[in-house]
Amino acid sequence: MRDSNSIFLHYITRIIIGLCALMMVPATSWAEAREFDMSIEDTRIVLVGKRDFHTFAFNGQVPAPLIHVKEGDDVTVNVTNMTTLPHTIHWHGMLQHGSWQSDGVPHATQHAIEPGDTFTYKFKAVPSGTMWYHCHVNVNEHVTMRGMWGPLIVEPKDPLPIEKKVTKDYILMLSDWVSAWAHKPGEGGIPGDVFDYYTINAKSFPETQPIRVKKGDVIRLRIFGAGDHVHSIHTHGHISQIVFKDGFPLPNPIKGDTVLVGPGERYDVILEMDNPGIWMIHDHVDTHTTNGDKPDGGIMATIEYEEIGNDYDFYIWKDKKFVPDFYYEESLKKGFGMHNSEVFKGEFIEE
Amino acid sequence: MRDSNSIFLHYITRIIIGLCALMMVPATSWAEAREFDMSIEDTRIVLVGKRDFHTFAFNGQVPAPLIHVKEGDDVTVNVTNMTTLPHTIHWHGMLQHGSWQSDGVPHATQHAIEPGDTFTYKFKAVPSGTMWYHCHVNVNEHVTMRGMWGPLIVEPKDPLPIEKKVTKDYILMLSDWVSAWAHKPGEGGIPGDVFDYYTINAKSFPETQPIRVKKGDVIRLRIFGAGDHVHSIHTHGHISQIVFKDGFPLPNPIKGDTVLVGPGERYDVILEMDNPGIWMIHDHVDTHTTNGDKPDGGIMATIEYEEIGNDYDFYIWKDKKFVPDFYYEESLKKGFGMHNSEVFKGEFIEE
Amino acid sequence: MRDSNSIFLHYITRIIIGLCALMMVPATSWAEAREFDMSIEDTRIVLVGKRDFHTFAFNGQVPAPLIHVKEGDDVTVNVTNMTTLPHTIHWHGMLQHGSWQSDGVPHATQHAIEPGDTFTYKFKAVPSGTMWYHCHVNVNEHVTMRGMWGPLIVEPKDPLPIEKKVTKDYILMLSDWVSAWAHKPGEGGIPGDVFDYYTINAKSFPETQPIRVKKGDVIRLRIFGAGDHVHSIHTHGHISQIVFKDGFPLPNPIKGDTVLVGPGERYDVILEMDNPGIWMIHDHVDTHTTNGDKPDGGIMATIEYEEIGNDYDFYIWKDKKFVPDFYYEESLKKGFGMHNSEVFKGEFIEE
């Protein structure tokens, strides 16, 4: 069965594979060394209305700055703790090959960073995908309701075909808060707590923002379970294609209209914008759409098409002041690096 | 390799494919226009024992009537609000191509329907699958504990082979209720609420019903997360094959014995009835099998085989009065249309 | 197209398939009959610190003994109830073909086993995989917070290739407890309860144990949702490959770093130990990492590599007394049978 033709084909194939391998930019030219300085600050943020919280904020903002790097980059982060309580940073999803003491777990991989101290994390950005970082000290308080989390996006060397179609990229970090502890830093996040505020990127509806698109866009929603509860994110009018879990491609994308997201998980959902209108995106856990004891709040936002506009007398966001970068969509376009975002800045608290 | 035989085969194949395409009933003859009138009424229903609730009931029933249409049908629903509070209907799962103002979201796609008013929804039934409809005003109260939800089944033009094997089709809508608000319409569904009743199709065990089968049946359970909580549905004695999520076929069916269902999600589970006996189907969230502070209630039912019967001295449902259509199994056989169901009728409340 | 070569190949293939079928050990020599005696006893166990609970313990231990059998085995279990309340055993996952009255559900498949009585369960161990057993009387109390659950591992005749690579096998059963009912047997597990302790195999951190590995190991974590809550298990520093759900192989393994486990579900996660260090494995539901109102407890443990050791001044388990078999890893090596485990023994309570 192996005639001269098939042998020829065999060699040609090997040559092509070889050429392709060469064309896959060699590691030295793709990956880079990056170094960032980060502080942790006592701040006050407002979730919605008058509902404010004392937070421990990376670079003074909640959520924390976008860290956007390339797969294989050598990342160094110098973290200085300016608060009055100990902290660490866990780089959730990073494999930390050969760098376990940069994994950021107090009592397991390091001493917590005491107030005033600086600690340096060094790790290789592997694997690629939608990752995050958060404090690992007293997670029940610091992660749950002090805003100590932010996105770490590791750009793949070799993106999936479907990723290449994406025209707009958004980050949605979901959290749950307990008002009773709002102004008691160092306490809270315990069994029996009543979680009464629910947020996307630390804001509750109507303080969230519309996602503005036009027909033909392909949007990627990177949804993070950054808090204590399970969320069930329903997008109206479009097919939600779940493509990645925790940064890894699913064996096959899963279609649906509702995405269940557990604490710590991330799902990347890709949707084709083929249906001009105003569309809700919200948590289908009904009590997560309240602010305290009031309905119509929490984890809700809309998708707005420019073809349709927003000038409808029934539309609650008819006169909404649009704040760009609320979903990090501007930061994500800035190229690689650490990007602070004015929109997430809190008010510094002096001791 | 391409001899006259293979060329002949090639053409024959193309002809057969062509014929098949023709036989796939063209849209004009398959899809139809359907119009339904629906009211919303103040009613009182009983979940179990003396535990009653004030509900806002579509056509006076909880759950709401089955709407059973064909993929591509043009559906018109005229909704008249006979209650004292505003409502809408969101057609959960419908893509609403070109009809975003029929999506049923107050403050985003329409003004809520005020008491006494009528609103007309018009949309194409796309995509096919297990969909549902529910109010979108104050979902934390109206969906969570006023019974404003019902099934919308869109029959596919081109069903999967496994769907064609189904002999019996059942609908199970799961909900969670807070007694404290039972008789306070317009209030409730807020953080801190104690959810103390759990239901399938608005009844708690032992007021649920057995699923009656015989050996050889292939049953389809359409399980809906219609309430506020995550449910974990365990079926005894059979393999649960999870085939659809939110109406869409999974890339590959997933086998298990327990199906986790989040709020808003639907899973279609197909099981071969090959094992005569009496079998439990219940929520494995243990506290969801209580009624108030009493065990042995909530989300529980049985599968009964006719080969086995129910005449066992240990069987709690030995003398159970069987109520057909509790899982819409009779309504689903009635052909396309909107089917009210006596079994779900509440008692009307006069103001 | 069918020449003498292809016909030859055809017959050779059929002969090979025939030989393979013969080599798949015939049922008579693979499967065996096994009989076990089991008691249920009133005991007291300690979750962590001084937090003890009254439990109803299979063979006096919580979790219950490992039952380790082969696919197709004929299993007989004689259960004697030595407590003062009725119980049963449900063999969760077993199909019970032709043995529905051994399914262990009170009021549906048997009368509950009264105090002092013995009941015999007989069933064939089918299908293979990670199964479990638990009481089915008042599950909201007996399963949720009386410790009535244990692992039932059914070894497959025909393991997957990935299973054969496993060098170390661990069982992690996750539960949630309500202190208010700790010493009130016969009560508890009702809506409104405050779940304030969270355990792996009935211990809360720091009373859990490290998982000790060396580079090159391939570990299998069999994670059980044995309690009332959803857990989100995050493993640091390694890729979690989710291979089985409820004992069944997934159509394709799913990669991630966090595994959402609902009540009743089991996930088998396989991880390659390729990254020496000390690594956390914990619930990412933040409040599940507390003990009562104190942080740093609940569902947390570590993976320790022997290459790294544990002699680090920052490591909380630097001087930890290692207790083998905490994850049933020793019991799983003992061959088929029922294996009691000293590490899980409670203190007997005399009436």
Side-chain angles (χ1 to χ4, degrees):
Chain A
M1 289 218 228
R2 173 166 273 211
D3 58 12
S4 58
N5 269 1
S6 75
I7 289 170
F8 174 74
L9 204 65
H10 171 80
Y11 281 102
I12 284 290
T13 307
R14 289 192 61 158
I15 288 165
I16 291 172
I17 290 172
L19 285 171
C20 288
L22 284 172
M23 288 165 67
M24 286 176 63
V25 186
T28 45
S29 76
W30 162 267
E32 295 175 53
R34 299 182 193 281
E35 184 162 357
F36 309 118
D37 292 328
M38 184 170 276
S39 64
I40 309 173
E41 316 270 0
D42 282 282
T43 60
R44 181 178 293 121
I45 63 163
V46 174
L47 308 183
V48 64
K50 296 183 176 175
R51 181 63 277 152
D52 59 354
F53 259 83
H54 187 124
T55 44
F56 309 136
F58 293 114
N59 280 5
Q61 68 173 74
V62 177
L66 170 67
I67 298 183
H68 195 180
V69 298
K70 292 191 286 187
E71 185 180 353
D73 278 358
D74 288 300
V75 180
T76 302
V77 189
N78 308 302
V79 181
T80 302
N81 178 4
M82 308 295 284
T83 75
T84 59
L85 292 165
H87 301 292
T88 63
I89 303 185
H90 169 57
W91 309 94
H92 188 127
M94 293 294 92
L95 288 174
Q96 300 281 7
H97 272 285
S99 56
W100 68 275
Q101 292 190 44
S102 279
D103 196 43
V105 181
H107 311 312
T109 70
Q110 66 170 102
H111 289 290
I113 314 170
E114 293 300 323
D117 285 358
T118 297
F119 186 91
T120 296
Y121 295 95
K122 282 174 181 285
F123 58 91
K124 202 171 268 294
V126 172
S128 66
T130 298
M131 307 300 176
W132 60 309
Y133 61 100
H134 60 79
C135 181
H136 220 288
V137 175
N138 294 4
V139 291
N140 59 303
E141 183 209 354
H142 296 197
V143 177
T144 297
M145 70 184 98
R146 300 290 166 217
M148 298 195 74
W149 30 267
L152 167 59
I153 306 299
V154 182
E155 212 62 30
K157 268 189 200 174
D158 200 9
L160 298 187
I162 195 174
E163 287 180 275
K164 295 182 185 168
K165 293 185 188 165
V166 169
T167 61
K168 287 181 176 158
D169 203 340
Y170 301 90
I171 285 170
L172 295 83
M173 305 189 80
L174 310 177
S175 302
D176 326 290
W177 309 71
V178 180
S179 308
W181 306 109
H183 299 296
K184 295 180 179 166
E187 297 179 67
I190 56 173
D193 273 357
V194 174
F195 287 81
D196 52 356
Y197 284 83
Y198 306 94
T199 57
I200 308 172
N201 296 346
K203 292 286 181 194
S204 306
F205 181 87
E207 292 306 315
T208 52
Q209 287 286 328
I211 290 172
R212 291 195 164 167
V213 302
K214 61 175 192 300
K215 196 173 172 183
D217 275 335
V218 176
I219 71 171
R220 177 181 194 153
L221 305 179
R222 302 178 190 253
I223 308 175
F224 296 64
D228 193 70
H229 286 209
V230 173
H231 300 281
S232 199
I233 301 303
H234 175 43
T235 306
H236 290 211
H238 299 83
I239 298 173
S240 287
Q241 204 165 185
I242 311 171
V243 180
F244 296 88
K245 170 183 161 51
D246 301 347
F248 295 94
L250 287 171
N252 296 286
I254 292 172
K255 289 183 182 174
D257 54 49
T258 305
V259 184
L260 199 69
V261 184
E265 290 191 304
R266 290 85 65 208
Y267 288 97
D268 288 33
V269 183
I270 293 180
L271 306 98
E272 293 185 26
M273 297 293 102
D274 56 1
N275 193 11
I278 296 171
W279 304 102
M280 293 299 293
I281 173 168
H282 65 94
D283 198 341
H284 224 287
V285 178
D286 301 312
T287 49
H288 292 179
T289 59
T290 58
N291 292 335
D293 59 359
K294 298 281 179 293
D296 270 331
I299 295 174
M300 295 207 292
T302 62
I303 297 173
E304 289 178 6
Y305 276 72
E306 70 176 42
E307 288 85 351
I308 292 295
N310 58 10
D311 189 18
Y312 299 90
D313 62 347
F314 51 72
Y315 187 31
I316 196 170
W317 277 353
K318 184 180 184 307
D319 301 311
K320 171 89 177 170
K321 182 180 178 323
F322 181 68
V323 178
D325 210 26
F326 179 76
Y327 299 104
Y328 292 90
E329 72 276 13
E330 301 299 326
S331 294
L332 280 162
K333 289 179 198 155
K334 286 182 183 164
F336 301 103
M338 181 175 72
H339 303 297
N340 296 322
S341 192
E342 274 309 308
V343 61
F344 299 131
K345 284 282 174 201
E347 175 193 349
F348 286 98
I349 297 174
E350 301 293 329
E351 274 172 276
Chain B
M1 290 216 227
R2 174 165 272 213
D3 59 13
S4 59
N5 270 1
S6 76
I7 290 170
F8 173 74
L9 203 65
H10 173 78
Y11 282 101
I12 283 290
T13 306
R14 289 191 62 157
I15 289 165
I16 291 172
I17 290 171
L19 285 172
C20 289
L22 283 173
M23 287 165 68
M24 286 177 62
V25 186
T28 44
S29 77
W30 162 267
E32 295 174 54
R34 300 179 194 282
E35 183 161 358
F36 308 118
D37 292 329
M38 185 171 274
S39 63
I40 309 174
E41 317 270 1
D42 282 283
T43 60
R44 182 177 293 120
I45 64 163
V46 174
L47 308 183
V48 63
K50 294 181 176 175
R51 182 64 276 153
D52 60 354
F53 259 83
H54 187 124
T55 45
F56 309 134
F58 293 114
N59 280 4
Q61 68 174 73
V62 176
L66 170 67
I67 298 182
H68 195 180
V69 299
K70 290 191 287 186
E71 185 179 354
D73 279 357
D74 288 300
V75 180
T76 302
V77 189
N78 308 301
V79 181
T80 303
N81 179 3
M82 309 294 284
T83 76
T84 58
L85 292 164
H87 302 291
T88 63
I89 303 185
H90 169 57
W91 310 93
H92 188 127
M94 292 295 92
L95 288 174
Q96 299 281 6
H97 271 286
S99 57
W100 68 274
Q101 292 191 42
S102 280
D103 196 43
V105 181
H107 311 310
T109 70
Q110 66 169 101
H111 289 292
I113 315 170
E114 293 298 324
D117 285 358
T118 297
F119 187 90
T120 296
Y121 294 96
K122 283 174 181 284
F123 59 91
K124 202 171 268 293
V126 171
S128 66
T130 297
M131 308 300 177
W132 60 309
Y133 61 100
H134 59 79
C135 181
H136 220 289
V137 175
N138 293 4
V139 291
N140 59 305
E141 183 208 355
H142 295 197
V143 177
T144 296
M145 71 184 99
R146 302 289 167 218
M148 298 194 76
W149 31 266
L152 167 59
I153 306 300
V154 182
E155 211 63 30
K157 269 188 200 173
D158 201 9
L160 298 187
I162 196 174
E163 288 180 275
K164 295 182 185 170
K165 291 185 190 166
V166 170
T167 60
K168 287 180 176 156
D169 203 341
Y170 300 90
I171 285 169
L172 294 82
M173 304 190 81
L174 309 176
S175 303
D176 325 290
W177 309 71
V178 181
S179 307
W181 306 108
H183 298 296
K184 295 180 179 168
E187 298 179 66
I190 57 174
D193 274 357
V194 174
F195 287 81
D196 53 356
Y197 284 83
Y198 306 95
T199 57
I200 309 172
N201 296 346
K203 293 286 182 192
S204 305
F205 181 86
E207 291 306 313
T208 51
Q209 287 287 328
I211 290 173
R212 291 195 165 167
V213 302
K214 61 176 191 302
K215 196 172 173 183
D217 275 335
V218 176
I219 71 172
R220 177 181 193 153
L221 305 179
R222 300 176 190 255
I223 307 175
F224 295 64
D228 193 70
H229 287 208
V230 173
H231 299 282
S232 200
I233 301 303
H234 174 44
T235 306
H236 291 211
H238 299 82
I239 298 172
S240 287
Q241 206 166 182
I242 312 172
V243 181
F244 295 88
K245 170 182 160 52
D246 301 347
F248 294 95
L250 287 170
N252 296 287
I254 292 173
K255 288 183 184 174
D257 54 50
T258 304
V259 183
L260 200 68
V261 184
E265 290 190 303
R266 291 87 63 211
Y267 287 98
D268 290 32
V269 183
I270 293 180
L271 306 98
E272 294 186 24
M273 296 292 102
D274 56 1
N275 193 10
I278 297 171
W279 304 103
M280 292 300 293
I281 173 168
H282 65 95
D283 197 340
H284 223 289
V285 178
D286 300 313
T287 49
H288 292 179
T289 59
T290 58
N291 292 334
D293 59 0
K294 297 282 178 294
D296 271 330
I299 295 175
M300 294 208 292
T302 62
I303 298 174
E304 290 178 5
Y305 277 72
E306 70 175 41
E307 289 85 350
I308 292 295
N310 59 10
D311 189 19
Y312 298 90
D313 62 347
F314 51 71
Y315 188 32
I316 196 171
W317 278 352
K318 182 180 184 308
D319 301 311
K320 172 91 175 167
K321 183 179 176 323
F322 181 67
V323 179
D325 209 27
F326 179 76
Y327 298 105
Y328 292 90
E329 73 277 12
E330 300 299 326
S331 294
L332 280 162
K333 290 179 197 156
K334 284 183 183 164
F336 301 104
M338 180 175 72
H339 303 297
N340 295 322
S341 192
E342 275 309 308
V343 61
F344 298 131
K345 283 282 173 202
E347 177 193 347
F348 286 100
I349 296 174
E350 300 293 332
E351 275 172 274
Chain C
M1 288 210 233
R2 172 166 273 212
D3 58 13
S4 59
N5 270 2
S6 75
I7 289 170
F8 173 73
L9 203 63
H10 172 78
Y11 280 100
I12 284 292
T13 308
R14 288 191 61 158
I15 288 165
I16 290 171
I17 289 172
L19 285 171
C20 288
L22 282 173
M23 287 164 69
M24 284 177 63
V25 186
T28 45
S29 78
W30 162 265
E32 295 175 52
R34 299 182 194 280
E35 184 162 357
F36 308 118
D37 292 328
M38 185 170 274
S39 64
I40 309 174
E41 317 269 0
D42 282 282
T43 61
R44 180 178 295 120
I45 64 164
V46 175
L47 307 183
V48 64
K50 294 182 175 176
R51 182 63 275 154
D52 60 354
F53 259 82
H54 188 124
T55 44
F56 308 134
F58 292 114
N59 280 4
Q61 68 174 74
V62 176
L66 170 66
I67 297 183
H68 195 180
V69 298
K70 291 190 286 186
E71 185 180 354
D73 279 357
D74 288 299
V75 180
T76 302
V77 189
N78 308 301
V79 182
T80 301
N81 178 2
M82 309 295 285
T83 75
T84 59
L85 291 165
H87 302 291
T88 62
I89 303 184
H90 170 56
W91 310 93
H92 188 127
M94 292 295 93
L95 288 174
Q96 299 282 6
H97 271 286
S99 58
W100 67 275
Q101 293 192 41
S102 278
D103 196 44
V105 182
H107 311 311
T109 70
Q110 66 169 101
H111 290 291
I113 314 171
E114 293 298 324
D117 284 358
T118 297
F119 187 91
T120 296
Y121 295 96
K122 282 174 181 286
F123 59 91
K124 202 172 268 295
V126 172
S128 67
T130 297
M131 308 299 176
W132 59 310
Y133 61 100
H134 60 79
C135 183
H136 221 288
V137 175
N138 293 3
V139 291
N140 59 304
E141 183 208 356
H142 296 197
V143 177
T144 297
M145 72 185 96
R146 301 289 166 216
M148 298 193 76
W149 30 267
L152 167 59
I153 305 301
V154 182
E155 212 62 31
K157 267 189 202 174
D158 202 8
L160 298 186
I162 196 174
E163 287 180 274
K164 295 182 187 170
K165 292 185 189 163
V166 170
T167 60
K168 286 180 177 158
D169 202 340
Y170 301 89
I171 285 169
L172 294 82
M173 304 189 80
L174 309 176
S175 302
D176 326 289
W177 310 70
V178 181
S179 308
W181 306 108
H183 299 297
K184 294 179 180 169
E187 298 179 67
I190 56 173
D193 274 356
V194 174
F195 287 81
D196 52 357
Y197 284 82
Y198 306 94
T199 57
I200 308 172
N201 297 347
K203 293 287 181 192
S204 306
F205 181 87
E207 291 307 313
T208 52
Q209 287 287 327
I211 290 173
R212 291 196 164 167
V213 302
K214 60 177 192 300
K215 196 171 173 184
D217 275 334
V218 177
I219 70 171
R220 176 180 194 154
L221 305 179
R222 302 178 189 253
I223 307 175
F224 296 65
D228 194 69
H229 288 208
V230 172
H231 300 282
S232 200
I233 301 303
H234 174 43
T235 305
H236 291 211
H238 299 83
I239 298 173
S240 287
Q241 204 166 185
I242 312 173
V243 181
F244 296 89
K245 169 182 162 50
D246 301 347
F248 295 94
L250 287 170
N252 297 287
I254 292 172
K255 288 183 184 175
D257 55 49
T258 305
V259 183
L260 199 68
V261 184
E265 290 190 304
R266 290 87 63 209
Y267 287 97
D268 289 32
V269 183
I270 294 179
L271 305 99
E272 293 185 27
M273 296 293 101
D274 56 1
N275 193 10
I278 296 171
W279 304 103
M280 292 300 292
I281 172 168
H282 65 94
D283 198 342
H284 224 288
V285 179
D286 301 312
T287 49
H288 292 179
T289 59
T290 59
N291 292 334
D293 59 359
K294 298 280 178 296
D296 270 330
I299 294 174
M300 295 207 292
T302 61
I303 297 173
E304 289 178 5
Y305 276 72
E306 69 175 44
E307 289 85 351
I308 292 294
N310 59 10
D311 189 20
Y312 298 90
D313 62 348
F314 51 71
Y315 187 31
I316 195 171
W317 277 352
K318 181 180 185 305
D319 301 311
K320 172 90 177 169
K321 184 179 176 320
F322 181 66
V323 179
D325 211 27
F326 179 75
Y327 298 105
Y328 291 90
E329 72 276 13
E330 300 299 326
S331 293
L332 280 162
K333 289 179 197 156
K334 284 182 182 166
F336 300 104
M338 180 174 75
H339 302 298
N340 295 322
S341 191
E342 274 309 308
V343 61
F344 299 131
K345 283 282 174 200
E347 176 193 346
F348 287 98
I349 297 174
E350 300 293 330
E351 278 172 272

